[in-house]
Amino acid sequence: MAKAAEKPSKLSSLKNFIREAKAELKKVTWPTRRQIWYWTLVVIVFTLCVSLYLGLIDFILAWLFRALLG
C-alpha cells in the first residue's frame, strides 16, 4: 500500500506563503508621492461635492415637507 502524500507542516506553508507574497509585491507598480497627493485631493474634492449636494437635497426636502405638512 502506497503512503499518502505527506502534508507540508504549517511552518513551511507559512514560510512559502511569505516568500510568494514578497515575490508578488516586487511586481507591483507603486504610485509616486505626487500621484498619491493628486488622488488624495481628488477624493477630498469629490467627497466635499457629494456632501454639498446631499446637504442641499436634504435642505430642500426638509423645507418642502415643512411647507406641505405645516
Side-chain angles (χ1 to χ4, degrees):
M1 208 176 209
K3 265 190 168 178
E6 288 186 34
K7 288 176 76 176
S9 71
K10 290 186 182 208
L11 185 59
S12 66
S13 294
L14 180 63
K15 286 180 182 178
N16 190 33
F17 172 78
I18 292 172
R19 189 178 312 113
E20 289 177 11
K22 282 174 127 179
E24 287 298 319
L25 284 174
K26 288 180 182 178
K27 298 177 187 177
V28 173
T29 304
W30 296 100
T32 63
R33 185 176 294 265
R34 186 175 184 161
Q35 289 172 324
I36 292 170
W37 274 109
Y38 173 77
W39 287 110
T40 301
L41 289 176
V42 168
V43 168
I44 291 170
V45 169
F46 180 76
T47 303
L48 288 173
C49 290
V50 170
S51 300
L52 289 172
Y53 173 75
L54 292 175
L56 181 64
I57 296 296
D58 181 54
F59 177 78
I60 291 170
L61 288 175
W63 176 81
L64 183 65
F65 279 110
R66 262 184 272 134
L68 290 175
L69 300 175

